[in-house]
Amino acid sequence: MLVFADGRTVGTIGGGCYENDAFWKASGAITTGRPHVLHYELNDDFAQENGLICGGQMDVHIDPLEPAPRLYVVGAGHVGQHVARAASDAGFRVHVVDDREKFANRERFPTADTVEIEALPDWLHTADIPSSAYVVVVTRGHQHDLEAMRALAARELKYLGLIGSRAKVARIGTALLAEGMPRDCLDRVHAPIGLDIGAVTPGEIAISIVAELIAVRRGADVSGASLSGSRRGADSARTASSPR
């Protein structure tokens, strides 16, 4: 039986009170993204009161089916190229944007859904990025990173991460706070980006970034530093520097 987010159903598991209960559990699983196994005793007193006479037991497996998440890679440099490749392999629908045709092209991003060549400030302020999206900011310079954070930090996003050294992250966070950006917006930004695996090369850094994306997607604990300078957990460390 398929259960849709708008309440529609296709198929049945037999009807009655158990199907109704399973329907509501499935509706909840759409929100949480977590699978369930439900066990029903069809011959208990509750079943008899509701007119179920088949008896026996029934297990219902609830498996939420979610669309492939969208990942926006802002910056088509070396790290961005590796992130796009690894994220595609991990099941993300990748969208790349950069203002340099030399970097943002199909030869370098063959698995991306879209590759946009546009001035980053213009694209960032007009792009229709859904709240379920993941955004990785891996531009080539401090000013582009700052512009990206101005445009993105206040948005509701599933994930927003910024590459760079702790010193650069601190400068950008301080600048945005001085401009009036609410601290709680910066608290949500994963910065410096990526899990701390000692990554050095662009390929290794991309793996650390995509690992963090997977952890967020699957509901694992992802603690560490944020753009505001506060920490999302006391025992986590992140990559200290991230070459592009």
Side-chain angles (χ1 to χ4, degrees), residues 28-64:
I30 292 173
T31 302
T32 65
R34 296 185 180 278
H36 293 284
V37 177
L38 309 177
H39 182 75
Y40 297 112
E41 295 283 347
L42 302 183
N43 55 359
D44 60 16
D45 293 338
F46 181 64
Q48 294 176 22
E49 291 175 4
N50 285 272
L52 298 177
I53 59 174
C54 53
Q57 301 174 333
M58 179 170 68
D59 287 337
V60 178
H61 296 252
I62 296 178
D63 189 11

Side-chain angles (χ1 to χ4, degrees), residues 162 165-177 182-192 224-234 236:
L162 172 64
S165 67
R166 295 188 185 280
K168 187 194 80 170
V169 165
R171 288 196 300 271
I172 291 177
T174 299
L176 291 173
L177 288 172
R183 180 176 290 274
D184 62 338
C185 293
L186 303 185
D187 287 342
R188 300 195 297 257
V189 181
H190 296 247
S226 69
L227 188 54
S228 68
S230 63
R231 300 187 65 79
R232 298 185 309 278
S236 178

Side-chain angles (χ1 to χ4, degrees), residues 33-193:
R34 296 185 180 278
H36 293 284
V37 177
L38 309 177
H39 182 75
Y40 297 112
E41 295 283 347
L42 302 183
N43 55 359
D44 60 16
D45 293 338
F46 181 64
Q48 294 176 22
E49 291 175 4
N50 285 272
L52 298 177
I53 59 174
C54 53
Q57 301 174 333
M58 179 170 68
D59 287 337
V60 178
H61 296 252
I62 296 178
D63 189 11
L65 304 176
E66 58 179 348
R70 294 186 180 188
L71 169 64
Y72 292 83
V73 180
V74 182
H78 300 308
V79 172
Q81 183 183 23
H82 285 281
V83 167
R85 182 185 307 160
S88 293
D89 289 342
F92 289 83
R93 296 178 57 187
V94 177
H95 305 268
V96 179
V97 60
D98 199 295
D99 58 355
R100 301 167 294 172
E101 187 174 359
K102 176 181 177 181
F103 290 89
N105 56 67
R106 278 292 172 190
E107 287 72 23
R108 300 185 74 245
F109 294 92
T111 62
D113 279 35
T114 62
V115 180
E116 303 284 347
I117 305 169
E118 191 172 342
L120 292 181
D122 296 340
W123 186 89
L124 288 166
H125 285 286
T126 59
D128 183 18
I129 302 176
S131 60
S132 59
Y134 298 67
V135 181
V136 167
V137 177
V138 286
T139 79
R140 64 184 181 277
H142 175 94
Q143 188 58 38
H144 289 299
D145 293 336
L146 181 58
E147 291 169 347
M149 288 299 107
R150 283 190 184 121
L152 297 170
R155 294 194 185 190
E156 291 291 335
L157 297 168
K158 180 73 173 181
Y159 174 96
L160 175 59
L162 172 64
I163 200 171
S165 67
R166 295 188 185 280
K168 187 194 80 170
V169 165
R171 288 196 300 271
I172 291 177
T174 299
L176 291 173
L177 288 172
E179 293 175 6
M181 180 72 73
R183 180 176 290 274
D184 62 338
C185 293
L186 303 185
D187 287 342
R188 300 195 297 257
V189 181
H190 296 247
I193 199 173

